[in-house]
């Protein structure tokens, strides 16, 4: 059975590779259509160029960037509102347009915590995406955003409590809390080691974040075995949106 088409929606350049680089590479390798929407940073910034390189590595096409400002970096999109301050209808409508253009079977985004870090832009992306996947299939909502399209499933990138064994020692020096979910909340566990080289290359393509010591910098400093422990598995919580959601590796 062919791999289902996939649209990933992640808040910042680098989130796509860190959170879902394995499944993006997997689906692209299987011939599926894949794409990524990144709400923050403008298209004329160095981080946008790094995102384009990461997506090329992952086979996910050119960046789709609405161009809002990172909530903590106003210079990321001068003159534009912060993503977490954007009017809700405007943000949802823009994402609905991307959904109806790409017409994915599966949509992937941050979980309700906003991933390990709980960044406010991640949390807002989760909320907007959750609304947009339902709105995209309704013809009376956002009629100017294209023909209705209903994705079959929404997958939330997450980390189970058990992942603390792998991540804890590397994360502790940051002084940040780790937001994880009970293991039983994980619907799908995906071994992405066959695509790990591409995932890591995409992470390291975000050179600005490597240089400033953010998560890609943490990955850059690790040995190959440590990278595999941290990034070789991806976890998702699944929400079926139609009666016949497409199969996913690891689901019965």
């Amino acid at each position: 059975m062919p791999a289902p088409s996939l649209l990933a929606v992640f808040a910042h350049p680098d989130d796509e590779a860190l959170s879902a680089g394995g499944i993006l590479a997997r689906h692209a390798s299987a011939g599926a259509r894949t794409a990524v929407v990144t709400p923050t940073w403008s298209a004329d910034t160095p981080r946008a160029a790094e995102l384009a390189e990461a997506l090329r590595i992952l086979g996910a096409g050119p960046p789709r960037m609405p161009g809002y400002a990172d909530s903590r970096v106003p210079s990321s999109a001068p003159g534009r509102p912060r993503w977490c301050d954007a009017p809700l209808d405007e943000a949802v409508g823009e994402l609905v347009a991307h959904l109806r253009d790409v017409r994915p079977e599966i949509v992937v985004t941050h979980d309700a915590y906003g991933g390990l870090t709980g960044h406010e832009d991640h949390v807002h992306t989760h909320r907007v995406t959750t609304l947009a996947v339902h709105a995209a299939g309704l013809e009376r909502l956002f009629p100017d955003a294209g023909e209705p399209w209903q994705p079959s499933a929404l997958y939330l990138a997450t980390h189970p409590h058990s992942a603390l064994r792998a991540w804890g020692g590397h994360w502790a020096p940051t002084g940040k809390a780790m937001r994880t979910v009970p293991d039983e909340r994980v619907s799908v566990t995906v071994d992405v080691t066959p695509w790990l080289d591409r995932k890591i290359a995409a992470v390291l393509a975000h050179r600005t974040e490597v240089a400033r010591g953010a998560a890609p910098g943490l990955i850059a400093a690790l040995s190959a075995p440590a990278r595999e422990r941290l990034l070789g598995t991806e976890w998702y919580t699944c929400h079926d949106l139609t009666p016949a959601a497409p199969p996913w590796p690891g689901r019965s």
Side-chain angles (χ1 to χ4, degrees), residues 146-163:
E147 290 297 314
W149 173 259
Q150 181 58 65
S152 297
L154 174 65
Y155 279 78
L156 307 178
T158 194
H159 285 77
H161 291 339
S162 59

Side-chain angles (χ1 to χ4, degrees), residues 103-178:
R103 304 176 80 80
E105 296 171 80
I106 289 174
V107 177
V108 184
T109 192
H110 302 282
D111 69 4
Y113 284 139
L116 284 178
T117 67
H119 193 293
E120 60 271 19
D121 286 340
H122 297 187
V123 174
H124 192 61
T125 300
H126 165 83
R127 293 169 178 163
V128 170
T129 305
T130 300
L131 292 171
V133 295
H134 293 285
L138 299 173
E139 70 277 4
R140 294 188 180 181
L141 293 179
F142 307 102
D144 297 331
E147 290 297 314
W149 173 259
Q150 181 58 65
S152 297
L154 174 65
Y155 279 78
L156 307 178
T158 194
H159 285 77
H161 291 339
S162 59
L164 288 170
R165 289 193 294 269
W167 277 89
H170 300 288
W171 198 259
T174 70
K176 298 178 181 178
M178 290 180 63

Side-chain angles (χ1 to χ4, degrees), residues 8-20:
V9 187
F10 288 102
H12 309 111
D14 81 356
D15 292 333
E16 79 298 327
L18 289 163
S19 298

